[in-house]
Amino acid sequence: MKVYEFSYNCFPKIDEPIALCLGFFDGLHIGHRSIINEAKKYGRKVGLLTFSNSAYNFFNNSNELLTPQKKKIEILESLGVDYYLEIEMTKDLINCSPKEFMENLKALNPAVCLCGPDYTFGKNKKGTVKDLQNTFYTKVVGFETYENEKIGTQRIISAIKNGDIEAANKMLGRNYSVAGRVEEGLQNGIKFGFPTANLAINNHCAPKEGVYFGYAVIDDEKLPAIASFGTHPTIDKLDSPILEVNILDFHRDLYGEYIEFEFIQYTRGNYQFKNEYDLVYQLESDKRDAFDFFNKKN
């Protein structure tokens, strides 16, 4: 897959006609995948035009995304997309007119544009699907639904933040995950017999604080694990939450390594225990429950 990152005023020129998918595509959920799958039917190479960030994040100085760029590129490669086209989110992009945006799109040589029914573009989202259809051959791909409601990024984010990981994963069509370098922590996990790989997930959509069952992915190997997202309030409370991943039956130093955690099930909230003994008792109970959970899955 060819990767292009560019500013609004410097669109690359694609020499061959392509099937161009339009949207932000944060999440690459089932609805997004249906657009990509429809694009493949045209017998052209498939391009996907996205943005480095959302307009909302840009104005609120945030980088919290469902799918940061590294993961997005990985997924798109697996889906057979040929061109990854990412526009830098800037005021020039946000303030462009719909007409200017469509003129710039011509450099990407779209034989067909594909988008969802609610696709908008240009300043104040004034550009609509109808405008696109007046300029390009355009295929509008209908919404995908879950429990009779439209699947959308904000709905998935809401599910993640409410701990409804099962629903989020069904709408995504994959397990929600976060990734990063393992950071050195306070060593309390080792002290209690539950060593953890600590990840700061500042650029990901933060899940509900609590304990999860899932998989740690290391060098493409998926390992059953328990993760706690929070400030560990019982001992040495932190100012901001981190993800602490305890990989079951795993004994290796992971400091500095890049790992991913896939969320499978929210199992409980974080509690402030009376003492260390109550905390360790709960951790041991979590571990037994995790072994039962994964044994049943296998």
Side-chain angles (χ1 to χ4, degrees):
M1 183 171 71
K2 294 181 179 179
V3 175
Y4 293 88
E5 299 173 68
F6 52 97
S7 66
Y8 169 68
N9 295 315
C10 297
F11 271 57
K13 181 173 175 56
I14 306 298
D15 292 330
E16 60 184 326
I18 64 173
L20 182 62
C21 303
L22 300 173
F24 182 35
F25 297 100
D26 188 18
L28 288 175
H29 54 63
I30 288 174
H32 294 149
R33 293 177 188 224
S34 67
I35 294 175
I36 294 169
N37 289 334
E38 189 68 27
K40 292 179 180 179
K41 296 178 182 179
Y42 286 87
R44 305 273 186 183
K45 287 190 176 179
V46 175
L48 184 139
L49 181 65
T50 183
F51 310 101
S52 63
N53 206 347
S54 68
Y56 175 85
N57 281 351
F58 179 78
F59 284 119
N60 288 277
N61 196 30
S62 172
N63 288 312
E64 187 180 78
L65 298 171
L66 266 179
T67 317
Q69 187 200 64
K70 180 180 174 67
K71 185 66 176 180
K72 187 179 283 189
I73 289 174
E74 175 189 318
I75 294 170
L76 290 173
E77 283 187 316
S78 73
L79 295 176
V81 171
D82 302 287
Y83 291 93
Y84 176 81
L85 304 151
E86 182 182 282
I87 309 175
E88 181 184 4
M89 180 57 67
T90 62
K91 287 185 178 179
D92 283 343
L93 172 62
I94 290 168
N95 291 323
C96 75
S97 70
K99 183 177 179 181
E100 288 171 341
F101 186 78
M102 288 189 292
E103 280 299 312
N104 281 336
L105 276 188
K106 292 177 181 179
L108 304 181
N109 205 357
V112 55
C113 291
L114 300 100
C115 62
D118 58 353
Y119 180 68
T120 58
F121 55 94
K123 187 175 182 179
N124 298 323
K125 299 182 179 181
K126 287 185 176 179
T128 66
V129 169
K130 187 169 290 187
D131 295 315
L132 203 62
Q133 290 172 323
N134 289 335
T135 305
F136 302 98
Y137 176 59
T138 301
K139 170 69 175 180
V140 180
V141 181
F143 297 126
E144 295 290 330
T145 62
Y146 171 70
E147 295 185 342
N148 299 318
E149 292 184 27
K150 170 196 165 186
I151 293 174
T153 298
Q154 291 305 314
R155 188 179 176 200
I156 295 170
I157 288 173
S158 179
I160 291 169
K161 291 186 177 295
N162 287 320
D164 194 356
I165 290 298
E166 291 93 335
N169 289 348
K170 287 177 182 177
M171 290 186 281
L172 284 169
R174 60 183 173 89
N175 296 330
Y176 178 63
S177 66
V178 299
R181 297 280 174 192
V182 177
E183 301 178 350
E184 189 166 353
L186 299 173
Q187 310 295 316
N188 286 325
I190 294 174
K191 174 183 173 183
F192 300 136
F194 295 87
T196 60
N198 299 335
L199 303 177
I201 58 171
N202 300 329
N203 64 329
H204 293 77
C205 173
K208 180 179 180 179
E209 292 193 18
V211 176
Y212 296 83
F213 297 151
Y215 294 102
V217 184
I218 305 172
D219 297 328
D220 296 324
E221 184 179 9
K222 294 175 69 166
L223 304 168
I226 307 169
S228 174
F229 182 65
T231 58
H232 49 67
T234 302
I235 299 170
D236 299 323
K237 184 176 180 180
L238 302 174
D239 293 330
S240 56
I242 62 169
L243 188 73
E244 301 172 283
V245 182
N246 173 247
I247 306 172
L248 302 179
D249 285 340
F250 183 84
H251 308 283
R252 196 179 100 201
D253 184 356
L254 293 173
Y255 288 132
E257 291 195 36
Y258 186 88
I259 72 168
E260 181 177 7
F261 181 76
E262 295 184 358
F263 294 83
I264 303 298
Q265 179 177 289
Y266 177 84
T267 181
R268 68 170 176 85
N270 286 333
Y271 314 126
Q272 184 171 0
F273 295 94
K274 291 181 180 179
N275 51 55
E276 294 180 6
Y277 301 104
D278 288 351
L279 171 60
V280 172
Y281 181 84
Q282 181 62 60
L283 293 176
E284 289 174 344
S285 177
D286 291 339
K287 191 170 184 178
R288 288 193 299 271
D289 290 344
F291 274 114
D292 288 342
F293 175 81
F294 288 109
N295 285 335
K296 289 175 183 177
K297 286 186 72 68
N298 295 332

